[in-house]
Amino acid sequence: MGQTNDDVAALLLEYADLFAMNGGDGIRVRSYKKAADSIAAYRGDLTAIDVRTLPDVGEAIAKKVEEALDRGTFRQLEDLRAKIPGGARSLLAIPGLGPKRALHLHTELGVDSPRALAAAIEQGRLDGLRGYGPKTRQALLDGIAAL
């Protein structure tokens, strides 16, 4: 079974998040997210068109899309998956938690799942960490509860 537009868009969004975690620049991260939105919004068959004709899909992204359509993934995504710890990647499921903060929490506290993050918050392990005040901690708990 081939990849749907939503599947390809999800791969691009994952790539954007992992690219950000790996220190990639924000402009390219946003480019991948915009391309993912454009691909998800397209209701036709991606294999029947030149994807470069879609808004926000340039040459480099088009090559990744074509590989994803052929293989179900693309090499650069696989390379980043191998570099970024699985525990940090699992935190990306939490609404409102971005890639850099997910990696920071994994690196600093060893948090490797939404459940582990909730426990760390309840144990007060985020207290005193810069950028994780009471409102942010509550927003994280709310995001975890929404999963």
Side-chain angles (χ1 to χ4, degrees), residues 106-120:
H106 177 74
T107 303
E108 293 297 314
L109 301 177
V111 174
D112 61 358
S113 69
R115 180 176 290 176
L117 178 56

Side-chain angles (χ1 to χ4, degrees), residues 28-101:
R28 286 184 58 196
V29 169
R30 283 188 299 280
S31 294
Y32 280 94
K33 289 184 177 193
K34 287 171 68 176
D37 290 344
S38 182
I39 287 168
Y42 181 70
R43 289 294 131 212
D45 180 3
L46 287 176
T47 60
I49 65 164
D50 178 356
V51 293
R52 291 164 196 80
T53 62
L54 296 176
D56 302 309
V57 178
E59 186 70 29
I61 293 172
K63 286 180 182 180
K64 290 173 180 68
V65 169
E66 290 164 0
E67 186 176 349
L69 290 168
D70 288 342
R71 296 184 45 236
T73 187
F74 52 93
R75 181 187 50 79
Q76 296 89 339
L77 175 59
E78 292 302 314
D79 291 347
L80 284 176
R81 283 177 176 163
K83 288 181 185 178
I84 306 295
R89 292 194 323 259
S90 73
L91 296 176
L92 293 173
I94 302 169
L97 184 62
K100 290 183 181 180
R101 282 191 165 208

